[in-house]
Amino acid sequence: MRTDTAGLSRGLRSRHIRFIALGSAIGTGLFYGSSESIRAGGPAVLLAYLIGGAAVFLVLRSLGEMAVASPSAGSFGEYATRHLGPLAGFTTGWTYAFEMVIVCVADITAVGVYMGFWFPGVPRWIWVLAAVLLIGALNLVSVKVFGELEFWLSLVKIVAIVAMILVGIAVIAFGLGDGGGHVGLSNLWSHGGFFAGGADGFVMSFAVVMFAFGGTEIIGVTAGEAQSPEKTIPSAVNSIPLRIILFYVLTLAVIMSITPWQDIDASGSPFVEIFTGVGLKSAAAVLNLVVLTAALSAINSDIFAAGRTMFGLAERRQGPAVMLKVTRNGVPWVTTLVMIGALLLGVLMNVLMPGEIFLIISSIATFATVWVWLMILLTHVKARRAMSAEERASLKFPVPFWPYGQIAAIVFMAAVMVLLAFDGSTRIALVVGAVWLALLGGVHALWIRPRQPGPQPVSATEGTGCASPDGDAASTEEPARAPR
């Protein structure tokens, strides 16, 4: 490994970035956490996923506009520093790294649950530890290996989800299996109505629904290692609506048509339960392998994202300089090892409280995720308002519905934060979040701000994040070296 600092490798192609985004967005939140959202909102959770997905799309379009103009490994943390100030950038960057750690803990917890399908007598923490060490080691090889791994893991997920939808439709249409229960679309409204959880249940389901979408913002992080960010980022962002409809809404509609929503519990993945319930045990075993692959894929993406974010923080002197060290292949190995160490704490949590860990972790991850999304939106609004008419006209990937869509998304994200206070199981997320932000504020005041250089004059081009003619921001080619 190299001990000097150097730039990251631009080894990610278009297909890598598409599937990295899928890997982070389609994981534990869908395959395991969806049972919690179904229990809260009933069939109306389908509408919640559509509304939440629309809001996330607006976030990603805001991020996409900035990422195409100025691709950077620091991504939204760097943009927040540039447009909202060093404290905003510091809290945004480290909260995103915190989010990835928390989401990873949820993902590795799900790995233990899935392995229990085949090995119910083996302690969960053993599988969790194995997953941490395996994925951590693979992330140390090279960004190209990471991209290829994520491409194939995510491809397995996509093929499996499409196959599950087709098999599920066959089960509904032809009554396959011998589960004995009623199967049909009428399950979506026959058990208490479409809004079976009531208005309260529907609203509260957003806390879990938004957790499921967490990680989609990794698209911005990949820009720093993309070969042609001006092409790959728009393509990845614009495919989000179709993914939401196919991978969330249609999939969960099939699940609740086969198994009435009130019969779905959190003992395992609802994707596996539906086929076990109708007597297709071999299909359930195959699907369990798929959801296991999905969890490993999500862990892979999250380790990548957190590592690159911490690298970007170190570049801006908002993190320890040691985090700038990379391998010969351009992999920030120190940040990857930090992530592995943090995930080992998740192993300990699975030993101490295996029953309650997922809901606690997912609610904390929701707070961190929505906070980051809010900061992305506020950063974009500030950046746009600082642009001249000529600069706005020259944008290669401008957001739609400006400014009303961004305002609506900001209001929605703020409302989700408030929702966390109305349930005892999620209220802890606000407490942890407040402590985390206060801690970051203290660290910034005592350590970061005294080390920051004085304000430098910023040109109009730098202030608005415009890219160089070849599509890459000049700052990403020669990353700033932090003082030793």
Side-chain angles (χ1 to χ4, degrees):
M1 293 182 179
R2 282 164 44 178
T3 57
D4 61 311
T5 58
L8 299 178
S9 169
R10 286 188 178 271
L12 295 179
R13 300 178 179 177
S14 177
R15 61 187 178 91
H16 293 151
I17 291 178
R18 284 176 182 268
F19 285 87
I20 287 170
L22 278 174
S24 194
I26 301 175
T28 304
L30 174 62
F31 287 110
Y32 182 60
S34 56
S35 59
E36 295 287 352
S37 60
I38 291 171
R39 297 284 293 176
V45 76
L46 301 176
L47 181 59
Y49 275 102
L50 283 173
I51 295 173
V56 171
F57 176 67
L58 290 172
V59 173
L60 296 183
R61 282 301 302 260
S62 295
L63 176 58
E65 179 181 295
M66 294 186 290
V68 169
S70 181
S72 165
S75 190
F76 33 84
E78 181 169 324
Y79 307 145
T81 298
R82 188 181 304 167
H83 299 291
L84 299 179
L87 178 59
F90 179 74
T91 56
T92 301
W94 280 108
T95 300
Y96 179 66
F98 176 66
E99 172 198 341
M100 290 296 98
V101 172
I102 297 299
V103 169
C104 260
V105 172
D107 290 331
I108 61 174
T109 298
V111 168
V113 173
Y114 299 154
M115 292 303 294
F117 179 84
W118 293 302
F119 306 100
V122 178
R124 180 188 297 177
W125 69 266
I126 293 178
W127 305 116
V128 172
L129 177 61
V132 171
L133 296 179
L134 173 64
I135 300 300
L138 290 172
N139 266 264
L140 288 171
V141 180
S142 76
V143 68
K144 190 171 183 179
V145 169
F146 159 78
E148 284 297 324
L149 176 65
E150 193 55 41
F151 172 79
W152 291 107
L153 287 176
S154 294
L155 185 61
V156 169
K157 285 192 290 191
I158 295 170
V159 171
I161 290 177
V162 173
M164 195 226 62
I165 291 173
L166 295 176
V167 172
I169 291 174
V171 170
I172 296 169
F174 304 109
L176 302 179
D178 55 3
H182 174 73
V183 173
L185 291 175
S186 61
N187 280 338
L188 296 177
W189 57 80
S190 297
H191 302 275
F194 185 71
F195 287 89
D200 292 346
F202 172 69
V203 171
M204 290 306 300
S205 71
F206 280 98
V208 183
V209 166
M210 301 316 289
F211 165 72
F213 290 123
T216 50
E217 66 278 1
I218 195 177
I219 290 174
V221 179
T222 62
E225 291 169 86
Q227 292 179 345
S228 302
E230 71 281 358
K231 297 178 181 178
T232 56
I233 299 302
S235 177
V237 170
N238 287 334
S239 63
I240 292 296
L242 179 61
R243 293 172 191 166
I244 290 170
I245 294 172
L246 177 61
F247 298 126
Y248 285 89
V249 179
L250 185 55
T251 302
L252 295 184
V254 169
I255 287 176
M256 289 185 285
S257 295
I258 294 176
T259 302
W261 71 271
Q262 71 272 19
D263 294 334
I264 297 174
D265 60 46
S267 60
S269 170
F271 287 66
V272 176
E273 288 182 10
I274 60 171
F275 290 107
T276 302
V278 298
L280 299 176
K281 297 191 187 304
S282 58
V286 172
L287 204 54
N288 195 65
L289 178 61
V290 170
V291 296
L292 175 63
T293 301
L296 293 174
S297 168
I299 296 168
N300 193 38
S301 289
D302 295 338
I303 289 178
F304 169 90
R308 272 50 178 187
T309 299
M310 288 187 279
F311 182 91
L313 286 162
E315 281 190 309
R316 299 191 302 279
R317 302 175 69 180
Q318 294 178 339
V322 70
M323 290 183 172
L324 287 173
K325 294 181 178 180
V326 298
T327 67
R328 293 185 182 88
N329 294 320
V331 175
W333 62 272
V334 173
T335 60
T336 302
L337 290 180
V338 169
M339 278 296 294
I340 294 173
L343 291 180
L344 291 177
L345 295 177
V347 177
L348 180 61
M349 294 177 69
N350 273 274
V351 173
L352 299 178
M353 50 179 188
E356 308 110 36
I357 181 175
F358 185 81
L359 187 58
I360 294 174
I361 288 299
S362 63
S363 61
I364 295 173
T366 299
F367 172 88
T369 299
V370 174
W371 174 268
V372 169
W373 288 342
L374 266 173
M375 295 306 292
I376 290 172
L377 289 165
L378 292 173
T379 299
H380 176 251
V381 169
K382 182 68 179 294
R384 262 297 191 110
R385 288 180 173 173
M387 291 182 188
S388 65
E390 293 77 14
E391 289 169 334
R392 287 194 293 269
S394 67
L395 289 171
K396 296 179 181 178
F397 189 47
V399 297
F401 313 120
W402 169 263
Y404 305 107
Q406 282 60 46
I407 294 173
I410 289 171
V411 172
F412 176 81
M413 295 303 171
V416 172
M417 296 283 277
V418 173
L419 280 179
L420 296 175
F422 286 90
D423 189 277
S425 60
T426 59
R427 197 172 297 129
I428 188 176
L430 290 180
V431 176
V432 172
V435 171
W436 170 255
L437 293 176
L439 177 64
L440 289 179
V443 170
H444 185 271
L446 297 176
W447 181 50
I448 300 298
R449 188 168 59 186
R451 298 170 63 243
Q452 292 291 324
Q456 301 293 324
V458 178
S459 68
T461 299
E462 293 171 335
T464 55
C466 293
S468 59
D470 62 1
D472 297 329
S475 61
T476 62
E477 296 299 327
E478 294 289 340
R481 294 173 182 260
R484 294 299 186 122

